Amino acid sequence: MTTTSCATAKAPPASLKIETRSIDYVPRNERHGKVWHQGPFWFTGNFVLTTMVTGFTGAALGLALQYAILAIVIGVCLGTFCMAFHANQGPRMGLPQMIQSRAQFGLRGAIVPFTAVVFVYIGFNVFNVILATDAINTVIPGARAPWYSLMIAIAVLIAVVGHDLLHSVQRWLTYVMISVFAVLTVSALMTLQADSAVADAHFSWSAFLIQLSAAAGYQISYSVYVSDYSRYLPHQTPSRQVIFWTYLGAAGSALWLMSLGAFLASALPSPDAIASVRDVGNRLIPGFGTFTVLIAVPALVGIMAVNCYGAMLTGISAIDGFKSIKPDLKSRVAGILLVAAVIFLIALNIPESYLGSFNTFVLLMLYFLVPWTAVNLADFYLVRKGHYAISDIFNPAGIYGRWSAAGLTAYFLGLLAMVPFMSLSFYQGPLALALGGADIAFVIGLAVAGLIYWALTRNLDLAAEERAIQASEQTLEGAAR
């Protein structure tokens, strides 16, 4: 995209105030923030007990600790790769993450990935509010509904204030979480013996790849909103720095907590996110484990706020494709409240065994998000190379159209190609069975969806799009001078 004098204009000083924008474009003269803030934001965003639970998977399948950690390392590195490269789209386009999908799927066709993404947001927040309430109940037993209400209300308040407060909360929580969990990790290493609770701990390809896929899927899930929190960065922020800080924060916390989870699951007979943390911490210093559990609650509430904010942006983007919505504070608040109400109702009515199906949820999420991330990244880095007519993303008569055959075809063929390789508790594809239950579906989905989209768009008239890009630039940035 061509630059204007606005690209170097001094951004207004960042102050903590209620955000007024939602799915609309952020003009370059409103951009602010520091690129290194992406690091602590995603570190704390990933430093929650839900992340640690992902590390339990390998031990539950009999995988020895060293192999479980190796699978986590590979899965986290692959999944975070996708996430970090999405982060670079924020400063370049000035838009939330999912609305960018209109360029690949069409104004209305983007409803396909939008639906899967809203499901992911709500599912994770139900997990998070249940875990946070479990943590509180270790100290204050009693009814769960009031705690659900309180924590969801706090998350809603943070999400309503918006982008800058979300960054501030996550940044300051980083220092607290590192300090407390460093002591917990030392306690685990000093008091537990690896693989002592896993009968006949061994290596198997199926268990290894299931743990790898769970770790990768968990990280890929963050791709759906990573640009939501980088879109206010100055347009000229170097791509390498955006990618580096996002990768460092998200991968660092995931590697730490998932590996700690794998260690706890290999050493404790009945690993549990709350009870295990409390037990291990109290072994070192009486009461410290309970303190650690309670300290984990603010981080869970913080990521709940992030999820409510992202679900609101995705939901508004979906509805706006069919009925125009004014992107203002009123629509933001209404969207956040609606998401919060759904989360509260599901948390109240879901059976307690729901948390036991966490691994299945992560894998299902991986299957539906992989073709989207492949199409979106292929378009941004290989096809259009970061050049978009932003105004046309909001225009039903624009160059991206209402429905895009290329994006939708690539998405569904990528999803279809994954089915034979899927390995779930209730379904195993024929090729997964041939591989001994190993799950490599996400690799297949990434390759098939990305390659098909690239093949279908090789003859795209980029010269015609360039004219639309220049007109969009003049419309958006000319008015902002």
Side-chain angles (χ1 to χ4, degrees), residues 350-375:
I350 205 160
E352 292 184 8
S353 60
Y354 176 60
L355 284 177
S357 63
F358 180 74
N359 183 53
T360 299
F361 172 78
V362 171
L363 287 175
L364 280 171
M365 172 188 64
L366 172 67
Y367 299 150
F368 284 104
L369 295 185
V370 157
W372 165 79
T373 195
V375 168

Side-chain angles (χ1 to χ4, degrees), residues 102-146:
R102 290 178 173 181
Q104 300 93 50
F105 295 90
L107 195 75
R108 293 182 175 176
I111 191 72
V112 173
F114 288 172
T115 302
V117 167
V118 170
F119 171 77
V120 168
Y121 283 129
I122 292 174
F124 263 114
N125 262 8
V126 170
F127 277 122
N128 290 333
V129 76
I130 290 173
L131 279 176
T133 302
D134 286 344
I136 292 172
N137 282 165
T138 61
V139 178
I140 310 174
R144 303 177 68 84

Side-chain angles (χ1 to χ4, degrees), residues 195-213:
D195 290 333
S196 59
V198 179
D200 188 30
H202 63 289
F203 175 84
S204 78
W205 277 111
S206 59
F208 181 85
L209 290 172
I210 289 172
Q211 175 66 85
L212 189 157
S213 294

Side-chain angles (χ1 to χ4, degrees), residues 44-329:
T44 298
N46 223 1
F47 210 92
V48 290
L49 295 178
T50 326
T51 306
M52 190 175 73
V53 171
T54 309
F56 291 174
T57 306
L61 298 171
L63 196 62
L65 178 63
Q66 67 268 31
Y67 301 122
I69 291 179
L70 178 60
I72 287 168
V73 170
I74 297 172
V76 166
C77 289
L78 289 175
T80 312
F81 177 88
C82 296
M83 172 192 174
F85 275 79
H86 281 296
N88 182 45
Q89 296 169 322
R92 306 286 85 79
M93 299 179 71
L95 292 175
Q97 186 67 66
M98 289 310 297
I99 201 168
Q100 299 170 22
S101 302
R102 290 178 173 181
Q104 300 93 50
F105 295 90
L107 195 75
R108 293 182 175 176
I111 191 72
V112 173
F114 288 172
T115 302
V117 167
V118 170
F119 171 77
V120 168
Y121 283 129
I122 292 174
F124 263 114
N125 262 8
V126 170
F127 277 122
N128 290 333
V129 76
I130 290 173
L131 279 176
T133 302
D134 286 344
I136 292 172
N137 282 165
T138 61
V139 178
I140 310 174
R144 303 177 68 84
W147 292 114
Y148 290 166
S149 301
L150 177 61
M151 286 183 285
I152 291 173
I154 295 171
V156 164
L157 179 62
I158 297 171
V160 166
V161 176
H163 176 276
D164 290 353
L165 180 58
L166 286 162
H167 264 282
S168 296
V169 168
Q170 297 294 84
R171 190 159 60 249
W172 286 107
L173 279 173
T174 296
Y175 307 116
V176 176
M177 302 307 291
I178 289 176
S179 301
V180 173
F181 273 81
V183 177
L184 180 75
T185 303
V186 170
S187 177
L189 293 173
M190 290 175 58
T191 61
L192 299 179
Q193 182 178 349
D195 290 333
S196 59
V198 179
D200 188 30
H202 63 289
F203 175 84
S204 78
W205 277 111
S206 59
F208 181 85
L209 290 172
I210 289 172
Q211 175 66 85
L212 189 157
S213 294
Y218 191 88
Q219 294 301 96
I220 287 174
S221 72
Y222 286 97
S223 299
V224 301
Y225 57 167
V226 65
S227 282
D228 297 354
Y229 306 99
S230 62
R231 74 189 197 276
Y232 279 91
L233 286 174
H235 178 70
Q236 300 296 350
T237 303
S239 298
R240 289 184 180 181
Q241 292 187 24
V242 180
I243 293 169
F244 170 78
W245 284 109
T246 302
Y247 197 102
L248 181 67
S253 55
L255 289 172
W256 182 354
L257 270 195
M258 288 185 196
S259 297
L260 178 60
F263 183 44
L264 296 180
S266 76
L268 297 172
S270 300
D272 173 84
I274 304 299
S276 299
V277 168
R278 183 180 56 189
D279 176 40
V280 171
N282 288 343
R283 292 185 185 196
L284 184 67
I285 304 171
F288 180 76
T290 304
F291 172 74
T292 304
V293 166
L294 293 178
I295 283 295
V297 172
L300 286 165
V301 173
I303 196 61
M304 284 168 58
V306 171
N307 288 338
C308 285
Y309 182 89
M312 171 272 300
L313 291 174
T314 304
I316 291 177
S317 298
I319 297 170
D320 182 71
F322 296 86
K323 180 178 174 58
S324 180
I325 293 179
K326 186 177 181 180
D328 57 11
L329 180 60

Side-chain angles (χ1 to χ4, degrees), residues 308-468:
C308 285
Y309 182 89
M312 171 272 300
L313 291 174
T314 304
I316 291 177
S317 298
I319 297 170
D320 182 71
F322 296 86
K323 180 178 174 58
S324 180
I325 293 179
K326 186 177 181 180
D328 57 11
L329 180 60
K330 182 179 178 181
S331 63
R332 281 187 57 239
V333 173
I336 291 168
L337 289 175
L338 178 60
V339 170
V342 172
I343 292 165
F344 178 72
L345 291 173
I346 294 176
L348 275 182
N349 293 287
I350 205 160
E352 292 184 8
S353 60
Y354 176 60
L355 284 177
S357 63
F358 180 74
N359 183 53
T360 299
F361 172 78
V362 171
L363 287 175
L364 280 171
M365 172 188 64
L366 172 67
Y367 299 150
F368 284 104
L369 295 185
V370 157
W372 165 79
T373 195
V375 168
N376 186 262
L377 290 176
D379 187 66
F380 187 87
Y381 288 100
L382 300 178
V383 178
R384 291 186 167 99
K385 297 181 172 59
H387 297 279
Y388 294 87
I390 303 300
S391 297
D392 285 43
I393 285 177
F394 298 90
N395 182 7
I399 61 174
Y400 305 117
R402 287 184 171 86
W403 303 89
S404 171
L408 291 168
T409 300
Y411 179 88
F412 284 113
L413 289 180
L415 190 61
L416 187 63
M418 295 169 69
V419 172
F421 295 90
M422 293 179 179
S423 182
L424 294 160
S425 58
F426 57 87
Y427 169 79
Q428 281 196 318
L431 295 179
L433 286 171
L435 293 170
D439 189 329
I440 60 170
F442 82 97
V443 177
I444 303 300
L446 282 172
V448 171
L451 287 172
I452 288 176
Y453 183 78
W454 173 78
L456 292 174
T457 54
R458 280 194 306 165
N459 297 321
L460 196 66
D461 189 352
L462 296 178
E465 288 201 1
E466 183 60 33
R467 292 189 291 272

